[in-house]
Amino acid sequence: MGDDFVRLKDLLPGATGRLGIPSPEATGRVWSAWKEIVGPAVAAHAEPTSLREGVLRVRADSPAWATEIGYLADDIRSRANAVTGRALVSEVRVWTGPRPAAGATSGGAGATLETGSQGEDREPAGDPAEALDRARRAWAKRHRR
């Protein structure tokens, strides 16, 4: 009878592959390491919502945070792929929506440094207005090139 058992881990790739999720294990790593991928300040305002066919969709709780995450998209993609050890994420798309009910997510603000889009260390911003100001500066810098 022991040979009749099938591990769930062995069944998931076939079922999720039809949904555009080729590796549920790697996808789960992105979700569980989200705070390390984006930093505690961003994780307090954004969360991954889906990963299908290489497109990671991220829900931000305000337009200011959506803008900030948009500027960090390349870094998020690189860090997510580093966590999974493969090119799982090819694109990051951001959308804005209300935060789920309290306790439904694992996000939270922290007091540690996070790395910015150009590799510099900075204090995490808890204020969306400050995040919007940083996003504007990043946009201006990017479009000066």
Side-chain angles (χ1 to χ4, degrees), residues 15-63:
T16 59
R18 291 188 297 270
L19 299 172
I21 306 168
S23 175
E25 192 173 334
T27 301
R29 274 187 287 228
V30 172
W31 263 247
S32 64
W34 183 246
K35 192 182 282 189
E36 290 76 32
I37 291 170
V38 298
V42 174
H45 297 279
E47 63 187 356
T49 57
S50 70
L51 176 55
R52 291 190 180 128
E53 298 175 358
V55 178
L56 175 63
R57 293 191 37 91
V58 177
R59 186 206 49 80
D61 62 8
S62 72

Side-chain angles (χ1 to χ4, degrees), residues 45-119:
H45 297 279
E47 63 187 356
T49 57
S50 70
L51 176 55
R52 291 190 180 128
E53 298 175 358
V55 178
L56 175 63
R57 293 191 37 91
V58 177
R59 186 206 49 80
D61 62 8
S62 72
W65 280 104
T67 300
E68 175 78 3
I69 294 161
Y71 288 117
L72 296 173
D74 288 341
D75 289 338
I76 292 170
R77 179 186 46 79
S78 296
R79 291 176 185 179
N81 289 337
V83 162
T84 62
R86 57 190 270 191
L88 184 68
V89 177
S90 59
E91 181 182 355
V92 176
R93 292 186 190 165
V94 186
W95 63 283
T96 305
R99 191 153 194 86
T105 63
S106 60
T112 61
L113 290 175
E114 65 180 31
T115 302
S117 59
Q118 299 300 318

